[in-house]
Amino acid sequence: MAENILIVDDEKPVRQLLEKILKKAGYHCTQAANAADARRCLEDQIFDLILSDIVMPGESGIDFIRYVSKGYPDIAAIMVTGIDNIQKADEALRAGVFGYIIKPFDEAQILISVHNALRQRQLKIENRQYLENLEKKIQERTDDLRESGKQLKEAHVKATRLLASITSIIIALDLEDKIVEWNRCAEKSFGLTRDTVIGKKLSECPIGWETEKVLREIGLCKTSGQRGTLDDVRLTQQNKKERLLGISFNPVLGVSGKIRGVLIYASDITKRRHLESQLAQALKLESIGQLAAGIAHEINTPTQYVGDNTRFLQEAFEDMDRAFKSYGQLFEAVKKNAVTDNIIQEVEKVIRETDLVYLIEEVPTAIGQTLEGVERVSKIVRSMKEFSHPGVDERTSVDINKALESTITVARNEWKYVADMKTDFDPGMPLVSCSPGELNQVFLNIIINAAHAISDVVDNGSGKKGIIKINTRSNGHSVEIRISDTGGGIPEKIQPRIFDPFFTTKQVGKGTGQGLAISHSVIVEKHGGSMGFETKMGKGTTFIIQLPVLSEGM
Amino acid sequence: MKKQILFVDDEPLILQGLKRMLRGLRSEWDMTFVQSGAEALEKMVGAPFDVIVSDMRMPEMDGSQLLDTVKHRYPNMVRVVLSGHSEEEMIMKTVKSAHQFISKPCNAETLKSTISRMFALREVLTQEGLKRLVSRIESLPSLPSLYTQVVELIQSPNSSIKKIGEVISKDLAMTAKILQLVNSAFFGIPRQISNPAQAVGLLGLDTVKALVLTIGIFSKFEQKQLAHFGIETLWNHSIKTGAIAKKVADKESADKHLSDNAFMAGLLHDVGKLVLVANVPDKYEEVIETIKDQNITLNQAEQLVFGATHADVGAYLTGLWGLPDAIVEAVAFHHRPEICLSNDMIPLTFVHIADGLEHHGNGTLSMEAPILKIDYGYLQKLGWVEKIPEWLKTCAENKEEGKNDG
Ligand SMILES: Nc1ncnc2c1ncn2[C@@H]1O[C@H](COP(=O)(O)OP(=O)(O)OP(=O)(O)O)[C@@H](O)[C@H]1O
Ligand SMILES: [Fe+2]
Ligand SMILES: [Fe+2]
Ligand SMILES: [Mg+2]
């Protein structure tokens, strides 16, 4: 079934352009010229997604989206606006927006954002349904429990078992925030045993999550008696692993209907987020399509000069043939001992006219460059094959140097106008067990990031090309890849955020902010390696990747 | 003097390849090869070139920056892009600074013939001032009503390529520009297309939309109206000449391609007038006054004022923009077809006839009142003099039809 999209914008041409793009992609669209109009549409139809302008006469797009996310939480929203303003973006994101598109936009941007938002929404709905189911089940059990005094004991055992077997965190608090229930999953996730926490206040427990946010939500739940949720709560476990939790806060009502406490369900959504980023990665792989234009250019260049040189060789051959014939005549004359001044002059004339001396010097070079051109084309084709390695997920023994080489080649058109490439590869690199397709994707992203960083400095003044340096080293157990650029560096303020999904400082169309998030998960999660960076403002940045030669546990 | 030509490309192997490939022309062309925009600009100081052929993407100064600079410093130089990039962005970037576009890889013939044609063109117009004027032109002004129509059609969700093509083919300015684009080898389309609807179709609605709405390849006539020269009259005459040329071509059973070309050439034959009126209106006013004062023909007056006629100017523009040769030829010689030695039916044949019939078409014509503007010698050579009455009838029908249309 086609998704139903509501387009809200006060400018008719914008609405129509959006509708045209979306219709072509098979979505169903409805237009509204302002928020009031849009509110009416919401009453008549069910929508999956809203694309809304920010600045409109009447209610602003952001207020409208706030209204939507309260009343219609299942509708995803994307802001489309002419205002290029981080603050507004933040405000919009807080209002529950999935994406943010700045006018003017192009078709691809729209389609990618819509596709992403719809996918995110789907995942969110599924997750909620899952949680709700779970809650229902527990509620049923709890009801049973309350209902039959006879089966109390048995039920208690069941409930405990159930609580233990549930793979979500379950914590029950009384009105004073003292912990009354703490299941096995909670023990595991927080590294705190049931015995040590029961009876303690939640705020007193050393849990590495966003405590303030959680406590605020518990307070809200208690005062309002309403269910509340928090998405994407960060948890740093004791082993320093980062997890993401989706948490719901449920009021527990006594027989009288009065609140007795709060039940907290939290599920680990890290995996799901990874799934999402893998999906994103699938999208990324399509980005080879983006490289295609550059690769075509890389191939067009040698094709041009191979053609030119061959054409020259053809003409040169004709000239040489002429010279050869005239020498032939001279030879015949010599044999017959009948050499005349005429014949000699003729030979001289031909040599002069055909520029024979030049030809003899030039033809070998032309042949050499032709062969070089052919080699260049086949190298590109070979690299493309290696780069888009079939079976992305398959682990094989990979020659990292070669993988880097082919990534550098396919991406050449992306960096060559702004930077020179310097490589220093350890010839003794061992083969590394990994999935080459994914690894290439990581290298590609870092190289392109480097090119972008340099291009910003080049555009802003110096005009001179920068340098991208790639080193590899190995100590036998692990390998290290360092990719340095001479760009502007990463400002301290954004350093902690660059690995976040969808964090980008680039213009729409140039970056989606998924590159480093995906790279990080590929290197750390999938390959048990590490990934970090060193940076100095005004000097440049080095990304450092370490990979175990034999990745453990996979 | 040998023709001076400058090649710019950041890839030295490309330059060497070109140099060898074009070696056969070394006695006619003086070729210089440089690796960057900065070097190119340096070379130009003191030693002007006739043609510059530049790569598009280069480090530091890219092709569009270079050609832009050249356009301002040396407007006379013919600017050609030779690029391996087909990205829309690049096309959009150079559409205004280059006269012609060739895509890599291109074969030797395409390159040689494009450049040779540019050189031949330098002879068509000898007035340096006029050359400079024409070389600078990015777009010609359209009739405001037609321009608005096209912009509206392009933005409307249910516009069709056919409709857009139809409106464009009523406007000489937009027709000329769209033919320039589609006939460039940049779009990977075989040369010599002479039908705007087909051209819009080949470029694709999205590209045309971007070109019109964001790059602004079309523009609107905004100059003050001249006292003695009506823009509408020029448009009327152009459209009618095109229509008659096509009618006569069809009557003489020309094939579809020739008949299309005849229409296009007819529409564009007086494009030189538009160039002059739009860019040097005061001088054109002077031309018209001179005609009256001295009782001479338009061509003579133009010669007096500019040292060239509107046919020369039009031919230079259409040639510079790489329009099909047959159209350039028709524009160049529409007043003096005898210059063309061929006895075949070519667009020029029909444009000359149609122009004569149309210029005269407002009065009543008879065999007794000879049609001054048609070259009888030329018609005689073709054996077509007897056909004139029949054509006149066709024209009259055409007029009737026009009336019925309102
Ligand atoms: N080498 C670098 N120098 C300076 N800043 C960098 C560098 N690499 C990454 N960054 C910063 O980190 C941000 C996130 O990078 P990331 O690769 O995740 O996303 P992106 O490049 O913006 O978009 P995408 O890779 O999805 O196209 C960038 O927007 C940029 O601000
Ligand atoms: Fe004329
Ligand atoms: Fe005319
Ligand atoms: Mg990136």
Side-chain angles (χ1 to χ4, degrees), chain B residues 292-320:
Chain B
K292 285 199 199 125
D293 293 351
Q294 308 193 11
N295 198 20
I296 52 176
T297 66
L298 174 68
N299 285 343
Q300 288 166 332
E302 284 176 342
Q303 282 289 2
L304 270 181
V305 175
F306 295 110
T309 69
H310 66 266
D312 304 331
V313 172
Y316 191 65
L317 178 89
T318 48
L320 200 57

mmCIF file of all heavy atoms in Angstrom, chain B residues 292-320:
data_model
loop_
_atom_site.group_PDB
_atom_site.id
_atom_site.type_symbol
_atom_site.label_atom_id
_atom_site.label_comp_id
_atom_site.label_asym_id
_atom_site.label_seq_id
_atom_site.Cartn_x
_atom_site.Cartn_y
_atom_site.Cartn_z
ATOM 1 N N LYS B 292 15.737 56.067 -44.388
ATOM 2 C CA LYS B 292 14.796 57.110 -44.814
ATOM 3 C C LYS B 292 15.538 58.282 -45.431
ATOM 4 O O LYS B 292 15.210 58.731 -46.528
ATOM 5 C CB LYS B 292 13.997 57.587 -43.609
ATOM 6 C CG LYS B 292 12.938 56.596 -43.194
ATOM 7 C CD LYS B 292 11.898 57.304 -42.329
ATOM 8 C CE LYS B 292 11.117 56.280 -41.529
ATOM 9 N NZ LYS B 292 11.164 56.569 -40.090
ATOM 10 N N ASP B 293 16.555 58.748 -44.708
ATOM 11 C CA ASP B 293 17.281 59.932 -45.163
ATOM 12 C C ASP B 293 17.895 59.732 -46.525
ATOM 13 O O ASP B 293 17.835 60.577 -47.400
ATOM 14 C CB ASP B 293 18.397 60.291 -44.169
ATOM 15 C CG ASP B 293 17.823 60.743 -42.846
ATOM 16 O OD1 ASP B 293 16.582 60.926 -42.802
ATOM 17 O OD2 ASP B 293 18.590 60.897 -41.882
ATOM 18 N N GLN B 294 18.538 58.579 -46.691
ATOM 19 C CA GLN B 294 19.336 58.408 -47.911
ATOM 20 C C GLN B 294 18.632 57.547 -48.933
ATOM 21 O O GLN B 294 19.186 57.274 -50.006
ATOM 22 C CB GLN B 294 20.688 57.786 -47.557
ATOM 23 C CG GLN B 294 21.385 58.542 -46.447
ATOM 24 C CD GLN B 294 22.833 58.136 -46.306
ATOM 25 O OE1 GLN B 294 23.371 57.438 -47.154
ATOM 26 N NE2 GLN B 294 23.455 58.573 -45.246
ATOM 27 N N ASN B 295 17.430 57.070 -48.587
ATOM 28 C CA ASN B 295 16.671 56.246 -49.501
ATOM 29 C C ASN B 295 17.493 55.053 -49.997
ATOM 30 O O ASN B 295 17.659 54.849 -51.196
ATOM 31 C CB ASN B 295 16.182 57.101 -50.678
ATOM 32 C CG ASN B 295 15.051 56.389 -51.403
ATOM 33 O OD1 ASN B 295 14.427 55.489 -50.824
ATOM 34 N ND2 ASN B 295 14.805 56.773 -52.645
ATOM 35 N N ILE B 296 18.030 54.315 -49.068
ATOM 36 C CA ILE B 296 18.801 53.119 -49.423
ATOM 37 C C ILE B 296 18.167 51.891 -48.763
ATOM 38 O O ILE B 296 17.218 52.026 -47.994
ATOM 39 C CB ILE B 296 20.278 53.246 -48.969
ATOM 40 C CG1 ILE B 296 20.327 53.623 -47.483
ATOM 41 C CG2 ILE B 296 21.020 54.242 -49.823
ATOM 42 C CD1 ILE B 296 21.734 53.676 -46.929
ATOM 43 N N THR B 297 18.694 50.708 -49.106
ATOM 44 C CA THR B 297 18.107 49.484 -48.536
ATOM 45 C C THR B 297 18.618 49.282 -47.112
ATOM 46 O O THR B 297 19.608 49.874 -46.684
ATOM 47 C CB THR B 297 18.487 48.234 -49.351
ATOM 48 O OG1 THR B 297 19.896 48.036 -49.215
ATOM 49 C CG2 THR B 297 18.106 48.388 -50.803
ATOM 50 N N LEU B 298 17.937 48.370 -46.432
ATOM 51 C CA LEU B 298 18.313 48.045 -45.064
ATOM 52 C C LEU B 298 19.752 47.546 -45.002
ATOM 53 O O LEU B 298 20.554 47.966 -44.161
ATOM 54 C CB LEU B 298 17.367 46.974 -44.510
ATOM 55 C CG LEU B 298 17.711 46.424 -43.132
ATOM 56 C CD1 LEU B 298 17.519 47.474 -42.061
ATOM 57 C CD2 LEU B 298 16.857 45.208 -42.799
ATOM 58 N N ASN B 299 20.085 46.635 -45.947
ATOM 59 C CA ASN B 299 21.435 46.086 -45.948
ATOM 60 C C ASN B 299 22.486 47.180 -46.120
ATOM 61 O O ASN B 299 23.501 47.195 -45.433
ATOM 62 C CB ASN B 299 21.609 45.062 -47.066
ATOM 63 C CG ASN B 299 20.915 43.768 -46.700
ATOM 64 O OD1 ASN B 299 20.604 43.543 -45.535
ATOM 65 N ND2 ASN B 299 20.644 42.949 -47.695
ATOM 66 N N GLN B 300 22.205 48.102 -47.025
ATOM 67 C CA GLN B 300 23.165 49.187 -47.254
ATOM 68 C C GLN B 300 23.315 50.045 -46.002
ATOM 69 O O GLN B 300 24.421 50.409 -45.614
ATOM 70 C CB GLN B 300 22.711 50.047 -48.434
ATOM 71 C CG GLN B 300 22.872 49.314 -49.759
ATOM 72 C CD GLN B 300 22.121 50.007 -50.891
ATOM 73 O OE1 GLN B 300 21.106 50.693 -50.673
ATOM 74 N NE2 GLN B 300 22.606 49.824 -52.120
ATOM 75 N N ALA B 301 22.163 50.293 -45.370
ATOM 76 C CA ALA B 301 22.208 51.133 -44.170
ATOM 77 C C ALA B 301 22.976 50.443 -43.049
ATOM 78 O O ALA B 301 23.780 51.062 -42.346
ATOM 79 C CB ALA B 301 20.785 51.473 -43.717
ATOM 80 N N GLU B 302 22.734 49.171 -42.904
ATOM 81 C CA GLU B 302 23.451 48.433 -41.856
ATOM 82 C C GLU B 302 24.957 48.455 -42.133
ATOM 83 O O GLU B 302 25.774 48.616 -41.230
ATOM 84 C CB GLU B 302 22.954 46.981 -41.777
ATOM 85 C CG GLU B 302 21.602 46.843 -41.090
ATOM 86 C CD GLU B 302 21.052 45.410 -41.082
ATOM 87 O OE1 GLU B 302 21.526 44.572 -41.892
ATOM 88 O OE2 GLU B 302 20.145 45.144 -40.290
ATOM 89 N N GLN B 303 25.296 48.281 -43.405
ATOM 90 C CA GLN B 303 26.712 48.330 -43.781
ATOM 91 C C GLN B 303 27.312 49.681 -43.386
ATOM 92 O O GLN B 303 28.423 49.751 -42.868
ATOM 93 C CB GLN B 303 26.885 48.125 -45.290
ATOM 94 C CG GLN B 303 26.778 46.684 -45.760
ATOM 95 C CD GLN B 303 27.972 45.827 -45.356
ATOM 96 O OE1 GLN B 303 28.887 46.303 -44.685
ATOM 97 N NE2 GLN B 303 27.947 44.561 -45.730
ATOM 98 N N LEU B 304 26.544 50.742 -43.668
ATOM 99 C CA LEU B 304 27.044 52.083 -43.350
ATOM 100 C C LEU B 304 27.278 52.255 -41.856
ATOM 101 O O LEU B 304 28.295 52.763 -41.428
ATOM 102 C CB LEU B 304 26.028 53.130 -43.820
ATOM 103 C CG LEU B 304 26.194 53.646 -45.244
ATOM 104 C CD1 LEU B 304 25.113 54.691 -45.545
ATOM 105 C CD2 LEU B 304 27.583 54.255 -45.426
ATOM 106 N N VAL B 305 26.311 51.814 -41.075
ATOM 107 C CA VAL B 305 26.384 52.063 -39.638
ATOM 108 C C VAL B 305 27.320 51.083 -38.928
ATOM 109 O O VAL B 305 28.118 51.458 -38.079
ATOM 110 C CB VAL B 305 24.982 52.022 -39.000
ATOM 111 C CG1 VAL B 305 25.079 52.160 -37.476
ATOM 112 C CG2 VAL B 305 24.114 53.132 -39.578
ATOM 113 N N PHE B 306 27.179 49.774 -39.280
ATOM 114 C CA PHE B 306 27.940 48.752 -38.542
ATOM 115 C C PHE B 306 29.130 48.180 -39.312
ATOM 116 O O PHE B 306 29.972 47.494 -38.740
ATOM 117 C CB PHE B 306 27.030 47.564 -38.192
ATOM 118 C CG PHE B 306 25.927 47.893 -37.238
ATOM 119 C CD1 PHE B 306 24.604 47.920 -37.657
ATOM 120 C CD2 PHE B 306 26.206 48.181 -35.911
ATOM 121 C CE1 PHE B 306 23.581 48.205 -36.776
ATOM 122 C CE2 PHE B 306 25.180 48.470 -35.023
ATOM 123 C CZ PHE B 306 23.864 48.491 -35.458
ATOM 124 N N GLY B 307 29.117 48.360 -40.628
ATOM 125 C CA GLY B 307 30.134 47.687 -41.429
ATOM 126 C C GLY B 307 29.806 46.224 -41.632
ATOM 127 O O GLY B 307 30.639 45.435 -42.078
ATOM 128 N N ALA B 308 28.594 45.841 -41.315
ATOM 129 C CA ALA B 308 28.160 44.458 -41.506
ATOM 130 C C ALA B 308 26.640 44.447 -41.508
ATOM 131 O O ALA B 308 26.018 45.426 -41.093
ATOM 132 C CB ALA B 308 28.669 43.572 -40.379
ATOM 133 N N THR B 309 26.047 43.350 -41.998
ATOM 134 C CA THR B 309 24.582 43.298 -42.024
ATOM 135 C C THR B 309 24.068 42.390 -40.917
ATOM 136 O O THR B 309 24.829 41.637 -40.317
ATOM 137 C CB THR B 309 24.064 42.724 -43.360
ATOM 138 O OG1 THR B 309 24.420 41.334 -43.402
ATOM 139 C CG2 THR B 309 24.671 43.453 -44.534
ATOM 140 N N HIS B 310 22.756 42.424 -40.729
ATOM 141 C CA HIS B 310 22.189 41.555 -39.689
ATOM 142 C C HIS B 310 22.391 40.088 -40.053
ATOM 143 O O HIS B 310 22.433 39.223 -39.181
ATOM 144 C CB HIS B 310 20.711 41.873 -39.444
ATOM 145 C CG HIS B 310 19.796 41.579 -40.589
ATOM 146 N ND1 HIS B 310 19.436 42.514 -41.523
ATOM 147 C CD2 HIS B 310 19.189 40.432 -40.958
ATOM 148 C CE1 HIS B 310 18.623 41.971 -42.416
ATOM 149 N NE2 HIS B 310 18.457 40.699 -42.107
ATOM 150 N N ALA B 311 22.514 39.800 -41.364
ATOM 151 C CA ALA B 311 22.758 38.414 -41.769
ATOM 152 C C ALA B 311 24.130 37.954 -41.263
ATOM 153 O O ALA B 311 24.275 36.834 -40.771
ATOM 154 C CB ALA B 311 22.680 38.295 -43.284
ATOM 155 N N ASP B 312 25.129 38.825 -41.364
ATOM 156 C CA ASP B 312 26.477 38.476 -40.872
ATOM 157 C C ASP B 312 26.452 38.237 -39.365
ATOM 158 O O ASP B 312 27.006 37.259 -38.868
ATOM 159 C CB ASP B 312 27.479 39.608 -41.167
ATOM 160 C CG ASP B 312 27.514 39.957 -42.646
ATOM 161 O OD1 ASP B 312 27.250 39.043 -43.466
ATOM 162 O OD2 ASP B 312 27.798 41.129 -42.978
ATOM 163 N N VAL B 313 25.792 39.153 -38.670
ATOM 164 C CA VAL B 313 25.747 39.051 -37.206
ATOM 165 C C VAL B 313 25.018 37.770 -36.794
ATOM 166 O O VAL B 313 25.472 37.019 -35.927
ATOM 167 C CB VAL B 313 25.046 40.289 -36.602
ATOM 168 C CG1 VAL B 313 24.813 40.105 -35.109
ATOM 169 C CG2 VAL B 313 25.886 41.533 -36.864
ATOM 170 N N GLY B 314 23.887 37.508 -37.460
ATOM 171 C CA GLY B 314 23.104 36.309 -37.136
ATOM 172 C C GLY B 314 23.896 35.049 -37.410
ATOM 173 O O GLY B 314 23.874 34.093 -36.637
ATOM 174 N N ALA B 315 24.621 35.051 -38.528
ATOM 175 C CA ALA B 315 25.401 33.863 -38.878
ATOM 176 C C ALA B 315 26.503 33.649 -37.851
ATOM 177 O O ALA B 315 26.781 32.520 -37.451
ATOM 178 C CB ALA B 315 26.007 34.036 -40.268
ATOM 179 N N TYR B 316 27.098 34.739 -37.418
ATOM 180 C CA TYR B 316 28.181 34.604 -36.440
ATOM 181 C C TYR B 316 27.655 34.003 -35.141
ATOM 182 O O TYR B 316 28.230 33.065 -34.587
ATOM 183 C CB TYR B 316 28.829 35.973 -36.175
ATOM 184 C CG TYR B 316 30.106 35.857 -35.396
ATOM 185 C CD1 TYR B 316 31.206 35.207 -35.946
ATOM 186 C CD2 TYR B 316 30.216 36.375 -34.114
ATOM 187 C CE1 TYR B 316 32.391 35.075 -35.231
ATOM 188 C CE2 TYR B 316 31.391 36.247 -33.387
ATOM 189 C CZ TYR B 316 32.479 35.601 -33.958
ATOM 190 O OH TYR B 316 33.635 35.462 -33.249
ATOM 191 N N LEU B 317 26.522 34.511 -34.705
ATOM 192 C CA LEU B 317 25.950 34.003 -33.460
ATOM 193 C C LEU B 317 25.566 32.526 -33.591
ATOM 194 O O LEU B 317 25.940 31.697 -32.760
ATOM 195 C CB LEU B 317 24.710 34.812 -33.069
ATOM 196 C CG LEU B 317 24.041 34.281 -31.804
ATOM 197 C CD1 LEU B 317 24.635 34.930 -30.575
ATOM 198 C CD2 LEU B 317 22.532 34.470 -31.833
ATOM 199 N N THR B 318 24.827 32.188 -34.640
ATOM 200 C CA THR B 318 24.371 30.798 -34.762
ATOM 201 C C THR B 318 25.563 29.861 -34.949
ATOM 202 O O THR B 318 25.554 28.742 -34.449
ATOM 203 C CB THR B 318 23.371 30.635 -35.919
ATOM 204 O OG1 THR B 318 23.905 31.276 -37.079
ATOM 205 C CG2 THR B 318 22.024 31.211 -35.568
ATOM 206 N N GLY B 319 26.575 30.327 -35.634
ATOM 207 C CA GLY B 319 27.768 29.501 -35.815
ATOM 208 C C GLY B 319 28.518 29.315 -34.513
ATOM 209 O O GLY B 319 28.909 28.215 -34.152
ATOM 210 N N LEU B 320 28.669 30.424 -33.799
ATOM 211 C CA LEU B 320 29.369 30.382 -32.518
ATOM 212 C C LEU B 320 28.672 29.429 -31.554
ATOM 213 O O LEU B 320 29.302 28.731 -30.774
ATOM 214 C CB LEU B 320 29.355 31.803 -31.934
ATOM 215 C CG LEU B 320 30.368 32.164 -30.871
ATOM 216 C CD1 LEU B 320 31.768 31.923 -31.377
ATOM 217 C CD2 LEU B 320 30.188 33.627 -30.482
#
